[in-house]
Amino acid sequence: MQESGVTPKGVTQSPFHYAEHPDHPGWMEWTLRDEIRFNAFLGPILVRADEGIARVRMVPDRQHSNVRDQVHGGALLGFIDCALFAAARGLGVLQAGGAVTVDLASQFIAGGTLGEPLEARIELLRETGRLLFLRGLVVQDSTPVIASFTATLRKSHAPGAPA
């Protein structure tokens, strides 16, 4: 994912919308402006940073389900991957620059319930000049732990800058 782009007029604009959500005070809405990309499949994503932990939410629907009427593992992994970037934005370690996922390890612990907010609670373990090391849990009110994960993101360099 990348958070910089060029509008037709040549003005740089982030492909992500990041602003306080009008219906959820204290929560930021983090969405991709291009509604045809993968992120749109997840629906609205909300972000909030509380004492060094980023809380990232989505509400899973039938399109995110498996045949057991629980959250599909692929949808859960997609949410975790996108939540890493939303968390990095919420924690203030990614602004207008992009990043890529280097690795993501996850453990599925329980099934997720459709229609109930799914929340990734993510903490930044360490930031270096190019890397972000993160870990987290995916939870719901009805299920204390759905998945745990660790990940590494590599921050992109500015266009034209040495790699």
Side-chain angles (χ1 to χ4, degrees):
M1 290 181 206
Q2 190 174 350
E3 283 208 26
S4 63
V6 178
T7 65
K9 296 178 184 176
V11 177
T12 300
Q13 178 185 27
S14 171
F16 288 91
H17 169 76
Y18 186 74
E20 187 163 354
H21 194 286
D23 299 330
H24 300 278
W27 288 85
M28 303 298 283
E29 180 179 17
W30 184 81
T31 56
L32 193 58
R33 293 180 196 276
D34 184 347
E35 297 175 1
I36 299 172
R37 304 252 181 222
F38 178 80
N39 296 43
F41 167 72
L42 297 171
I45 292 181
L46 301 178
V47 183
R48 162 186 213 143
D50 291 327
E51 299 179 15
I53 303 292
R55 297 170 58 197
V56 182
R57 284 188 181 171
M58 70 163 285
V59 179
D61 201 354
R62 183 166 169 77
Q63 68 187 8
H64 306 111
S65 70
N66 59 24
V67 295
R68 297 179 69 168
D69 281 329
Q70 294 180 320
V71 179
H72 189 285
L76 190 58
L77 282 172
F79 169 61
I80 291 169
D81 187 50
C82 290
L84 293 167
F85 293 85
R89 178 69 168 101
L91 294 169
V93 293
L94 279 183
Q95 300 293 323
V100 296
T101 306
V102 173
D103 69 37
L104 171 58
S106 63
Q107 299 77 42
F108 297 107
I109 298 167
T113 303
L114 301 177
E116 183 180 328
L118 195 62
E119 183 170 294
R121 296 183 181 160
I122 301 172
E123 67 178 312
L124 176 66
L125 299 174
R126 183 163 186 234
E127 177 181 11
T128 68
R130 298 290 246 170
L131 299 173
L132 301 173
F133 298 91
L134 304 129
R135 73 174 167 194
L137 297 174
V138 176
V139 303
Q140 285 182 314
D141 286 343
S142 64
T143 309
V145 180
I146 294 168
S148 65
F149 58 90
T150 58
T152 308
L153 302 183
R154 184 176 189 273
K155 295 182 270 184
S156 301
H157 62 279

